Amino acid sequence: MSALPPVFSEQDLHACNTLGLPARAAVAALEDEAVIPALCAALAAGQKGGDAAAPLFVLGGGSNLVIAARPRRRILRVALRGIRLWRETADHWIVEAAAGESWHGFVEHCLAQGWPGLENLALIPGTVGAAPVQNIGAYGLELDQRLHSVVAWDLRAGRECTLRPAACGFSYRDSLFKRDGAGRWLIVRVRFALPKAWTPRLDYPDLRDHPGLRESIDARKHPSARQIFDAVCEIRRRKLPDPAVQGNAGSFFKNPVVGAAQAADLERLFPALRAYPQADGRVKLAAGWLIEQAGWKGRRLGPVGMHERQALVLVNHGGAQAADVLALADAVRADVHQKFGVDLEREPVILD
């Protein structure tokens, strides 16, 4: 007997988005991959029959989301679980995790098993399935540098696909899964190629200068993956608010990338500009520095504001709704553009 599609019912989503915005929508939990063919069939039947049911939005941990009070989409909350060593080669451990696993929990699990390589990405909120959508990155490491493959259902075509990194359309905090729209791809499992010949990634000054790593670096020794994991966790906890304590969606804006000529002009005007040359000749600017210089660090607009320790993080001081978040984001973008001539782009997905 074939599995039945998940049943949607109206639910409160206040606790399902890390900004803590009030929202209610039709929600169903995906706990078993066996129901996905029935879900695809129901979606296809509804389209053919002119069914007026709301389109689908796939929800992970809600850590990269600005949600309206009454979103028009139905919400499929991914709750798939499981981690395993999928394959082992001479050079890599290929580790597979279900999409509903906690990202940070997965990173910590890998280290406990002796599989290093993701430690720079510790304490990033959200789920494993959401990580490729955003192409997460931190402290000198990008997710696509460790990705082996993504197992996902194309809900429009009604088929399961295995996509290697080249097929995922990765760019800075972007991917095929994000660009194709929130209702097409349902990521169910993600595989990572973790190197047996591991070497630490210490590109970022915050890591090179961290007291917990400095002694090893000065002695020309490699810090361990666990030491890097601990240092990243300490840095993030010191700089960033905990969503469980104060609602936020992490970094709210992407670090803008500009042409070399524009970057040189800005450095002449602002000698302290935080600028990082890229392999393609362009220059990445630190969005947090731009926002701070535009006067928004620690500043509020109604119930929301930019965090007092990290200007890149938009926080909910209590009682905020999506409109408050977007109004602040627009005000910050306008002031940064006026001062620097640089356009900031939001990271979170807007679900209205």
Side-chain angles (χ1 to χ4, degrees), residues 87-299:
R87 183 179 297 168
E88 187 172 351
T89 71
D91 300 320
H92 293 91
W93 294 286
I94 313 298
V95 184
E96 178 184 85
E101 290 285 345
S102 153
W103 172 260
H104 177 69
F106 170 61
V107 173
E108 192 162 28
H109 175 86
C110 288
L111 286 180
Q113 303 304 311
W115 306 326
L118 297 173
E119 54 284 336
N120 291 54
L121 306 182
L123 216 61
I124 294 178
T127 59
V128 169
V133 177
Q134 182 70 1
N135 189 22
I136 61 173
Y139 298 103
L141 181 68
E142 303 292 311
L143 175 132
D144 61 342
Q145 296 169 344
R146 295 287 190 241
L147 188 74
H148 175 274
S149 54
V150 175
V151 181
W153 277 78
D154 182 339
L155 296 178
R156 293 180 191 169
R159 61 189 178 89
E160 185 182 85
C161 312
T162 299
L163 293 86
R164 297 301 297 269
C168 293
F170 288 124
S171 59
Y172 175 59
R173 303 296 171 266
D174 200 10
S175 69
L176 166 77
F177 311 109
K178 195 172 183 180
R179 291 191 299 273
D180 270 5
R184 177 173 183 181
W185 294 101
L186 171 56
I187 295 174
V188 292
R189 281 167 279 134
V190 188
R191 296 170 185 149
F192 297 88
L194 304 183
K196 291 183 175 179
W198 173 85
T199 55
R201 300 292 294 268
L202 299 169
D203 307 335
Y204 259 61
D206 278 354
L207 289 181
R208 291 197 303 270
D209 298 336
H210 190 273
L213 305 178
R214 186 74 262 170
E215 184 177 345
S216 294
I217 295 170
D218 287 345
R220 299 184 182 276
K221 296 179 181 178
H222 284 332
S224 70
R226 185 73 207 196
Q227 285 177 299
I228 294 172
F229 173 91
D230 290 341
V232 168
C233 290
E234 190 280 326
I235 293 167
R236 292 185 71 91
R237 289 186 176 117
R238 171 165 38 90
K239 287 189 169 186
L240 304 173
D242 182 349
V245 177
Q246 184 170 39
N248 73 88
S251 298
F252 199 86
F253 297 98
K254 298 180 181 180
N255 289 319
V257 180
V258 302
Q262 184 180 2
D265 289 342
L266 285 169
E267 285 186 289
R268 281 192 289 271
L269 292 170
F270 307 98
L273 181 75
R274 304 279 179 83
Y276 307 94
Q278 302 297 291
D280 63 3
R282 297 186 299 165
V283 179
K284 182 186 292 184
L285 307 180
W289 187 89
L290 299 175
I291 294 167
E292 182 175 351
Q293 299 306 306
W296 277 101
K297 186 176 183 179
R299 183 175 161 193

Side-chain angles (χ1 to χ4, degrees), residues 10-14 21-27 67-71 73 75:
E10 184 167 312
Q11 297 178 26
D12 183 359
L13 290 168
H14 179 269
L21 303 177
R24 293 190 69 83
V27 181
I67 186 169
R70 286 280 180 177
R73 291 177 177 267
I75 310 296

